[in-house]
Amino acid sequence: MDGTRPLADADDGFAAALAARLPEGRIGRPDPGHLEEPRGRWQGRGGVLARPATTEEVARIVRTCAEARVPVVPYGGGTGLVGGQIAQEGMLPVILSLDRLKAIREVDPRENVMIAEAGAVLADIQTAAREANRLFPLSLASEGTARIGGLLATNAGGINTLRYGNARALCLGLEAVLPDGSIWHGLTRLRKDNTGYDLRDLLIGAEGTLGVITAAALTLHPRPAGEGTALMAVRDPAAALDLLALARDRMAEGISAFELMHRQGFDFLAETLPDSRQPWPEPPEWCVLIEVGLSRGLDPAEALQDLFAAAHEPGLVTDGIVAQSEAQRADFWAVRERIPEANRLIGAVSSHDISVPLSAIPEFIARAGPALARIDSFRINCFGHAGDGNLHYNVFPMPGRTRADHEHQREAIKRCVHDLVHALGGSVSAEHGVGRLKVADLERYGDPAKLAALRAIKAALDPAGIMNPGAVLRAP
């Protein structure tokens, strides 16, 4: 958004008081885009939009809201899929947009550190790292609009978690405004700092319920000297895990991404996006997309070809294509990245962002389908970051039916999937967060001691309950 819609009601006392504490143009009314989320499931409410340009301005806003006990909903890129950025109930909140805090303050390739403000778009952070001959490895489909503050607040994952970890693992320190309006100056560049409780880890993943992240010290990595990509058809999910183990034995931490895809995803692409370039004339039942990044002197394409040969002999893989050019690598990734787009065009009855221990992936897939079949007939598109146990397990209507036909079954479908995930020691929220969508799930599946601790922390840091109320924990 380029500007701020002016306040239409000059008699709005709180908005006027807030505006009086800030430079002109910082306070206005939210646009419709601030009240929507990508999947269109919720319509939010917001009385005031705040667009601060400095951390001190964020502190003034939060301080003013704390004094008046007005809720604050932090807003990054708006790409979250669990409603964390959307308030539907309670007092009209101040929507606090971080889009003006977008500076990349410093890049130090010697220390492998970047200091970026919370509103910096992930793609811009990746570019700044690349220009310094470094890599910021967090990568996901929304990287062109997602902002680093929101990605840290939700502890986002993505395709490279297998090698580099999720957002938490890529952050050394934070600058943040706490619920009373005080500023925590925690932009440490230290790798070792054992001086009490780690507020960084507390704020990362808190989804704006414990404060507002305004800047972060991010960890950079050397760029791999050579990268390679391959698609390999595997016998089944168990064979995919054996292939991953074999790949790690041969290339250690050189495996950057390991994506599992079912044939249903390819069929959806052919049905909804026929212009997509399919790698196989006849897609296999299961395949994996492997990305490697190797050090100088090693040939990634040759390493992938050798891996295929070693895996083909015991029957783990039945077919494979090693990318021979950057264009072919891009085509392989385009297939993976367009599957969610095809899913949206088909229209899921129920989507699930789940994780299970790696060894439990085959059992989960084998048991979930028959369990759902006892509810009704469905098409299932199972795909995701199998290297770290994160699957997107999405349930769709059969041809000739729509998701509206199954609306009455949505809760039963979700319960079926989540109960199985929980029984296998997994998580019902792998990388998207809890938001407002999964508050009840956290209550159902969360450890009682953990939930009590979370509520105690929330009450201690935010006694007025103004920070993103209703997200993660049910509002009192």
Side-chain angles (χ1 to χ4, degrees):
M1 188 179 69
D2 296 323
T4 303
R5 292 174 60 209
L7 292 170
D9 184 357
D11 294 327
D12 186 337
F14 174 75
L18 191 57
R21 298 190 182 190
L22 297 161
E24 186 177 355
R26 299 295 196 260
I27 302 299
R29 296 299 185 197
D31 287 321
H34 291 107
L35 307 177
E36 300 168 351
E37 52 85 38
R39 291 197 280 209
R41 292 187 176 182
W42 297 286
Q43 185 67 35
R45 303 163 69 246
V48 177
L49 172 70
R51 297 180 64 218
T54 67
T55 299
E56 177 54 41
E57 289 177 10
V58 175
R60 286 184 220 163
I61 292 166
V62 174
R63 196 176 305 125
T64 304
C65 289
E67 292 168 358
R69 294 185 173 248
V70 172
V72 178
V73 177
Y75 192 93
T79 60
L81 298 177
V82 290
Q85 73 278 38
I86 299 294
Q88 288 185 294
E89 300 175 346
M91 183 185 298
L92 287 177
V94 170
I95 298 175
L96 201 162
S97 172
L98 281 303
D99 66 327
R100 280 179 166 155
L101 278 80
K102 59 185 178 182
I104 294 174
R105 298 179 185 173
E106 182 181 358
V107 179
D108 190 332
R110 294 169 303 172
E111 284 194 54
N112 284 319
V113 172
M114 175 190 296
I115 308 296
E117 293 182 346
V121 173
L122 177 56
D124 294 336
I125 289 174
Q126 294 168 339
T127 297
R130 185 164 52 249
E131 290 173 349
N133 195 31
R134 290 295 182 266
L135 173 71
F136 185 67
L138 185 62
S139 180
L140 35 82
S142 61
E143 60 195 31
T145 51
R147 300 180 187 273
I148 194 63
L151 293 167
L152 288 166
T154 56
N155 192 28
I159 62 174
N160 291 325
T161 300
L162 171 65
R163 180 171 185 173
Y164 297 102
N166 51 21
R168 187 188 306 278
L170 298 170
C171 179
L172 293 171
L174 295 173
E175 173 188 86
V177 174
L178 300 180
D180 62 355
S182 61
I183 300 174
W184 173 47
H185 301 281
L187 280 177
T188 179
R189 308 153 76 101
L190 301 175
R191 264 71 175 180
K192 293 183 177 180
D193 180 12
N194 288 323
T195 52
Y197 304 140
D198 196 331
L199 294 183
R200 173 202 61 178
D201 277 353
L202 199 57
L203 288 170
I204 294 174
E207 302 187 42
T209 62
L210 300 178
V212 182
I213 294 170
T214 55
L218 304 173
T219 303
L220 305 180
H221 291 263
R223 298 189 65 80
E227 295 179 298
T229 306
L231 278 167
M232 297 189 189
V234 292
R235 184 182 62 235
D236 52 31
L241 294 182
D242 290 339
L243 176 62
L244 174 61
L246 180 63
R248 297 183 103 170
D249 284 345
R250 299 173 73 90
M251 287 176 269
E253 296 307 310
I255 311 298
S256 300
F258 192 87
E259 300 287 300
L260 180 68
M261 295 182 284
H262 184 254
R263 175 178 179 143
Q264 188 65 73
F266 293 89
D267 291 344
F268 281 173
L269 283 173
E271 182 177 341
T272 63
L273 300 166
D275 61 319
S276 298
R277 297 178 64 178
Q278 299 255 6
W280 281 292
E282 184 70 19
E285 188 71 11
W286 291 99
C287 70
V288 294
L289 176 61
I290 309 174
E291 176 107 333
V292 301
L294 303 181
S295 57
R296 192 170 287 106
L298 299 175
D299 184 335
E302 183 178 328
L304 287 167
Q305 289 164 355
D306 291 346
L307 173 64
F308 176 81
H312 187 267
E313 184 176 352
L316 300 180
V317 298
T318 58
D319 196 1
I321 313 169
V322 177
Q324 300 300 309
S325 66
E326 284 300 312
Q328 195 171 22
R329 284 186 63 211
D331 285 345
F332 288 177
W333 276 108
V335 169
R336 166 61 180 86
E337 290 165 356
R338 297 194 80 183
I339 286 176
E341 183 181 355
N343 285 349
R344 285 191 291 273
L345 293 172
I346 294 291
V349 177
S350 185
S351 300
H352 312 96
D353 163 46
I354 56 95
S355 64
V356 294
L358 288 184
S359 60
I361 287 177
E363 182 180 358
F364 168 77
I365 293 173
R367 291 174 59 183
L372 288 169
R374 289 192 285 272
I375 298 174
D376 208 334
S377 296
F378 301 106
R379 291 180 289 179
I380 297 169
N381 189 11
C382 176
F383 67 102
H385 321 303
D388 55 46
N390 176 197
L391 297 176
H392 301 295
Y393 194 84
N394 300 336
V395 180
F396 297 84
M398 296 296 288
R401 306 189 75 183
T402 69
R403 63 181 175 183
D405 296 326
H406 300 281
E407 187 67 32
H408 63 291
Q409 298 169 321
R410 177 175 290 174
E411 186 59 32
I413 293 167
K414 185 181 77 167
R415 179 69 58 83
C416 175
V417 173
H418 286 179
D419 281 356
L420 179 55
V421 167
H422 183 66
L424 294 173
S427 170
V428 299
S429 178
E431 65 176 357
H432 292 163
V434 175
R436 290 171 173 81
L437 175 66
K438 296 186 178 181
V439 169
D441 293 317
L442 180 60
E443 293 171 345
R444 177 177 175 83
Y445 302 107
D447 180 85
K450 175 181 177 178
L451 286 170
L454 292 181
R455 293 182 181 116
I457 292 168
K458 172 71 171 173
L461 291 183
D462 182 21
I466 67 166
M467 297 305 305
N468 210 5
V472 183
L473 297 172
R474 194 179 301 278

